[in-house]
Amino acid sequence: MDFRLTDDQRALQAGMRDLLAARFDRERLRATVRNPALDRALWRALGDAGFFALRLPESEGGVGLGLPEAVLLFEEAGRALLPGPLVATHLAAGSVPGAASGDTVVTARDGELIEWLTDADHILGEAPEPTPAPTPTPIRSIDPLTPLHRVRSRPTTTPCPGAALLTAAQQLGSAGRTLDMAVSHARTREQFGQPIGAFQAVKHLCAQLLVRTETARTAVYAAAVTEDPLDLATAKLLADEAAVNNARDCLQVHGGMGFTWEADVHLHLKRAWVRAQQWQTAAEAEEALATGLGQP
C-alpha cells in the first residue's frame, strides 16, 4: 500500500492553502477573533472550490474524490484555524440542499453540544421531536472562534464516523502549523548572541514537535485509506495529542511572548482543546481501541 501523495493530491492541497492564504490570512483571522461571526462569502468560496462537495459523485454535481483527499483539505483548514462547522456542512453535502455549494451552513449536535448554532441554517441529524425541544443554552467556549450551545435531555446523534477523522485532520494541520511557528521563532529569536534554537533544551522541544506531527500524519493518512474503526480511533487520539502538546511546546519556545494576546499560538492551543473534546474524546478512543484489541 502506497501512502505517498500523488501529484494531483499535492496540487489539491496546495490549491486549498493558496485559497485560504488569499481569503483567510492572519489579518482576517485576527479580525474574526475581535468580531466573531461566520463569513458567508468565505463559506460560499469554499463551496465554489469544492470543499463541501468533494466526496459527492460527479453525477450529483460533486468532485468525485474520496476521504483521503478530504483529509488533505481539512488539514489545511486546521492549519489556518478556519472557523465554522466545517465537518457538519461537509457531511451534509448531498443530503441538505445548499450545503454542497456553501449556501447553507450546517451544524450538528455532538453529545450535548452544538457549535455555531446561531449562525447555522440547519442542524444535521436532528429528528422531529414529539414534544417541544429544549431551548439550547449558550455556554462559554474557551476558543473565541468556536461558539457553543448546550442542549440537555435529548438523544445523542452522530452523523458519521468520518466526523472524528476530519476533526483529527484539522488537529494535524494545527500541529503542523505550531511546529513551523516554533522552528521559525527558534531560528530568529536571539539570546546571548545566538539563536535560541542553538540551545539543547529548545532543540529537544522542536524535535518533539516534529515527531508528534509526523506520527499523527501517518495515523490520519492511514485511517483515511483503510477507514477501519480502530485506525480512526488511533488517528483521533494521536492527532489530539499532537495538536495540544505541540501548541504547549510552541508556547514554551516563544517564552513570555507566547502568553500574550497578540501571539497566535494561544489560538491554536484553545482550538486544539475544543477539538479534542469533539466527536471522539481521548477516553472514548482509548475505550474503542481496548475493546477492539481484545477481540479475535
Side-chain angles (χ1 to χ4, degrees):
M1 188 176 293
D2 189 354
F3 287 104
R4 289 176 296 183
L5 301 184
T6 65
D7 290 342
D8 287 343
Q9 289 173 329
R10 292 184 187 281
L12 180 70
Q13 192 175 36
M16 184 64 187
R17 184 172 295 192
D18 291 343
L19 170 65
L20 293 179
R23 300 297 300 263
F24 194 73
D25 59 8
R26 184 176 185 277
E27 289 186 7
R28 184 62 188 163
L29 169 65
R30 304 301 304 201
T32 307
V33 170
R34 289 190 294 273
N35 298 294
L38 198 66
D39 186 343
R40 293 274 180 163
L42 174 59
W43 211 255
R44 284 189 286 273
L46 291 172
D48 292 341
F51 184 90
F52 302 117
L54 190 76
R55 291 192 290 157
L56 279 182
E58 294 183 27
S59 58
E60 298 179 19
V63 184
L65 297 178
L67 191 56
E69 286 78 18
V71 159
L72 296 178
L73 296 192
F74 275 80
E75 181 182 349
E76 291 304 315
R79 182 181 178 85
L81 281 178
L82 188 65
L86 298 165
V87 172
T89 305
H90 179 89
L91 295 176
S95 60
V96 177
S101 63
D103 292 316
T104 301
V105 178
V106 182
T107 188
R109 185 179 177 201
D110 178 19
E112 292 185 344
L113 299 179
I114 306 176
E115 64 173 359
W116 289 97
L117 178 62
T118 57
D119 290 80
D121 305 309
H122 183 87
I123 302 176
L124 189 64
E126 284 288 272
E129 292 291 316
T131 57
T135 302
T137 306
I139 62 173
R140 183 178 181 183
S141 173
I142 192 170
D143 177 17
L145 292 182
T146 309
L148 295 171
H149 280 71
R150 171 170 286 139
V151 183
R152 298 184 184 277
S153 304
R154 297 190 71 181
T156 301
T157 55
T158 303
C160 176
L165 182 62
L166 296 177
T167 304
Q170 293 179 82
Q171 293 282 58
L172 171 61
S174 179
R177 178 58 184 147
T178 50
L179 164 65
D180 293 345
M181 292 165 62
V183 171
S184 176
H185 188 72
R187 284 175 172 166
T188 55
R189 173 68 172 172
E190 293 189 359
Q191 282 289 321
F192 307 109
Q194 59 183 330
I196 62 173
F199 300 116
Q200 197 73 7
V202 178
K203 287 181 180 177
H204 284 172
L205 286 174
C206 292
Q208 285 298 321
L209 284 153
L210 176 62
V211 169
R212 289 192 207 101
T213 302
E214 292 307 311
T215 303
R217 174 170 287 114
T218 301
V220 170
Y221 286 7
V225 174
T226 67
E227 300 188 40
D228 180 85
L230 294 185
D231 291 343
L232 295 173
T234 302
K236 182 62 164 55
L237 193 64
L238 291 176
D240 285 343
E241 179 185 354
V244 171
N245 290 333
N246 273 20
R248 284 174 169 161
D249 283 353
C250 180
L251 188 148
Q252 291 296 319
V253 171
H254 279 73
M257 182 189 300
F259 290 89
T260 63
W261 181 252
E262 289 75 14
D264 291 346
V265 58
H266 76 98
L267 295 174
H268 281 275
L269 180 57
K270 291 169 180 174
R271 185 73 61 85
W273 275 332
V274 171
R275 288 202 196 105
Q277 298 301 314
Q278 290 181 315
W279 300 119
Q280 192 172 46
T281 64
E284 292 168 343
E286 289 169 350
E287 186 66 29
L289 285 172
T291 302
L293 293 174
Q295 294 178 347

